[in-house]
Amino acid sequence: MAKINDNYLKLPGSYLFSTVAKKSAAYSEAHPDKNVIKMSIGDVTKPLAPAVIEAMHKAVDEMANAETFRGYGPEQGYDFLREKIAEFDYKARGIDIAVDEIFVSDGAKSDCGNIGDIFSVDNKVAICDPVYPVYMDTNAMAGRAGDYVDGKWNNIYYMPCLEENGFLPQLPKEKVDIIYLCFPNNPLGVAATREQLKPWVDYAKENGAVILYDSAYEAFITNPNVPHSIYEVEGAKEVAIEFRSFSKTAGFTGTRCAYTVIPHELKLDGVELNSLWNRRHTTKFNGVPYIIQRAAEAVYTPEGQAQTKEAIAYYLENARIIREGLTEAGFTVYGGENAPYIWAKTPNGMGSWEFFDKLLEEANVVTTPGEGFGPSGEGYVRLTAFSTKENTIEAMRRIKELVK
Ligand code: PLP
């Protein structure tokens, strides 16, 4: 008889965001007169930039013509896009990344999840707590997480990110092999400076570990001491893989385009991880649509840069409104300065699901309970800055009213 991958059976409950969505839908159904404001899932609300739309239309027209039609493209992505990525996202910051170190994909979520394919199941994995759930769940699916006991995976090294450490993880006290880092962070909204990242690169070098660096939110960085890429830290090319995405940078959450960087210097036992990923990517993936890659390319035009930056500034302004609004309402808040996420402490030690319910029912504002991101998220909720400005202002007004 065929056997299933029974690691899937170990996965706890339903996915965090579907529980949040179900609760909020049930509330809206029961109270159709209420205008529920969603500050939960990290999805953008602004449309694609005009420069991006224009490039897409042009590419669609090309597909209608035998001379310019494109079928299968290179699995790793077209050079026209990879060259722009190398130039704008790396060279402009003094980092030398070759085109063949860049793999274009349909999402940082897929890449963060799939990257486990090239690592042995025996690796010890260190993951922040709280965390974007994909890292944990995909390691569990691969059999690298052990068993889920009392709300924790017993073979994962948890790195608690707590208030007393500015919500930054601390270097592992035991030897680990794979370290997931995400800055600017989802869900905490905090970012690490170059100086704060350097010890991680040193640790990885000393221990033969690999850092999986998710910088999906780099476009939100405002502090010049926060690096946009882990490769801004000396030596990182030998130890780190970087994940980037057009989702939050340019509103591509529904359009789907991202990329992963694996420098040739990164080797384990003399084997380049770049070549393993290339093998994996070309075997299991057939490339991002031509139309979408042209759209992503347009992000790097002067118009595309100006338009996408404007959208980021809009969300950062929302983040400021949330930070200030919640602070005025008497809450302790973190993040939101280099990220579209605000991490708010629940009042009087209230549980995070309890506070989520209270905000939903009494202020009609949907947040995400911190506990859903990991045990150390208990006592917090996450708010996102991706609503409209009007809704963000209204949500803060309601929350202030609630605590009056
Ligand atoms: N990484 C982090 C930390 C995220 O928060 C998200 C989306 O919310 C992703 C990756 C997914 O990005 P993509 O839309 O490219 O799959």
Side-chain angles (χ1 to χ4, degrees), residues 176-216:
V176 299
D177 308 305
I178 296 173
I179 303 166
Y180 285 81
L181 292 178
C182 171
F183 294 116
N185 190 267
N186 174 18
L188 300 163
V190 297
T193 61
R194 275 175 210 90
E195 290 68 35
Q196 285 165 333
L197 279 175
K198 180 76 170 86
W200 292 89
V201 170
D202 294 343
Y203 174 97
K205 272 193 179 173
E206 279 157 27
N207 293 280
V210 174
I211 296 172
L212 302 179
Y213 194 78
D214 185 343
S215 69

Side-chain angles (χ1 to χ4, degrees), residues 42 106-110 112 132 135 182 186 214 216-217 245 247-248 253 256-258 341:
D106 64 344
K109 185 185 204 176
S110 343
C112 289
Y132 175 56
Y135 317 145
C182 171
N186 174 18
D214 185 343
Y217 297 96
S245 172
S247 284
K248 310 300 157 71
T253 52
R256 313 303 307 143
C257 196
Y341 297 115

Side-chain angles (χ1 to χ4, degrees), residues 109-179:
K109 185 185 204 176
S110 343
D111 286 353
C112 289
N114 291 329
I115 198 74
D117 277 17
I118 64 168
F119 292 104
S120 157
V121 75
D122 299 330
N123 284 298
K124 184 78 182 180
V125 179
I127 299 182
C128 290
D129 165 30
V131 76
Y132 175 56
V134 173
Y135 317 145
M136 202 68 88
D137 289 0
T138 54
N139 274 289
M141 289 168 179
R144 230 176 265 119
D147 292 309
Y148 195 67
V149 185
D150 297 333
K152 275 189 156 186
W153 293 98
N154 62 9
N155 198 36
I156 293 286
Y157 183 90
Y158 282 71
M159 300 186 288
C161 298
L162 307 171
E163 194 174 18
E164 59 256 38
N165 296 318
F167 294 102
L168 293 176
Q170 304 298 294
L171 284 178
K173 292 197 175 61
E174 61 181 75
K175 197 174 167 328
V176 299
D177 308 305
I178 296 173
I179 303 166

